[in-house]
Amino acid sequence: MNTRGDRATDGLHMLPFRGLRYVPERVGSLAAVTSPPYDVVVRPDGLHHLESADPYNIVRLILPQAATATARHEQAAETLDRWLAEGVLAPDPEPALYVYEQRKGGILQRGIIGALALSSPEEGIVLPHEDVMPHVVADRTDLMRTTGANLEPLLFTYRSDGPANGASAVIDRVIQERPLLATTTEDGFSHRLWSVTDPVDLAEIATDLTRQQALIADGHHRWATYLRLRDERPEPGAWSYGLVLLIDTARYPLQVRAIHRLLNRLPVADALTALDGLFRIREIDGPLPDALRALAEAADEGNAYLLAGDGRFHLVDRPDAALLARTVPADRPDAWRRLDATVLHATLLDHIWRIPDSPEEITYIHDTEAAVVQAERRGGTAVLMHPVREDVVRDLARQGVTMPRKSTSFGPKPATGLVLRSLNVD
């Protein structure tokens, strides 16, 4: 068995699969049926927008709406079965890996979508870097079990040695061909997808990936779901693999953004009063982009947060050293102890504000403006965060140290709905 600090000798094993894809003639447009990943959709506004975009939008599968969890998941399964029966979705004729490209302005990302062999963190092949919330894993597990499908690819990264060989060489060749699909979503990203079925290309990719170790960039809860469902079915088979998009960040670096916290029941005035004397507090002039620049400058010097929700912006930084020594666990690496997310959860949420990490109390929001708007609507506090560097994330993961849940948002994230994986179609 490998240790997490070493490059995994077994490496990554990715299998071709018969992708489920929308039949273009049956939908208004491919862009209209796609969605961001389930945890990026800002509910309810974003959910309603997607539902109204097209009657076959994928959000009806990843975020079904019903009175109970059981009813939601059964509804998603029924919808998937109906769309397959009606020819809205159809499996590709033969198993394939898929080259996927996203492009917007100067951002270019290419990778391979396939069914990746599952492995536990202890094996050191796939490295998680964040903790997970049990209730989210339970919900995603029941949805996946009920639908019998991987509805959206997880985002994984690895770093090659640089030269364009192996998987990179296959990608460079395949993108010269005509894609299976091409569309542009409303966020301005263009998406293209190619299938890889040639045995020589598949073998070249397979050989390359056996030398690689992956970091979970986005999808910790769904990876935990994959592992739980695999453990329910110990015999080898479709449930021993999970749908992922694998990106070589040596060639296509990802962006790393923060995930913000909305404290639903804590007014800004109360939050600031509790911090008085323990942090430096300054009111920052808006608009939001200017306040975020002030946050970035403060974050270069240490822990810093931007609080919003009362129509103003409040920069909170320079925590009391004795407070940190008393509240932040000392049994972790210094890099972990200095993380903004660590100090937020250990010091602010647990010790000062005494807010439990539950869905009723804390909402995790990727979009900065949405976090501020929701805080103002609810009379709560938005805690805006500064992103962590990718090298810090990877180094901690290789040490086997997980960051607080929802510490990072890697992107661009794959669009959901371009290719699905049925666990009943081989």
Side-chain angles (χ1 to χ4, degrees), residues 103-166:
R103 186 192 294 266
K104 179 182 179 181
I107 300 173
L108 173 62
Q109 180 170 288
R110 294 187 181 119
I112 297 173
I113 296 176
L116 187 69
L118 305 182
S119 60
S120 63
E122 293 75 22
E123 295 174 77
I125 298 171
V126 172
L127 304 177
H129 72 269
E130 289 183 352
D131 293 331
V132 297
M133 294 176 275
H135 74 279
V136 177
V137 175
D139 178 76
R140 292 293 104 180
T141 297
D142 194 40
L143 175 64
M144 199 175 299
R145 184 192 298 115
T146 305
T147 59
N150 298 155
L151 299 172
E152 44 188 342
L154 285 56
L155 179 60
F156 281 25
T157 74
Y158 72 99
R159 292 189 65 82
S160 70
D161 297 328
N165 52 29

Side-chain angles (χ1 to χ4, degrees), residues 231-243:
D231 292 344
E232 293 178 2
R233 299 165 175 80
E235 69 282 356
W239 296 87
S240 300
Y241 297 81
L243 185 64

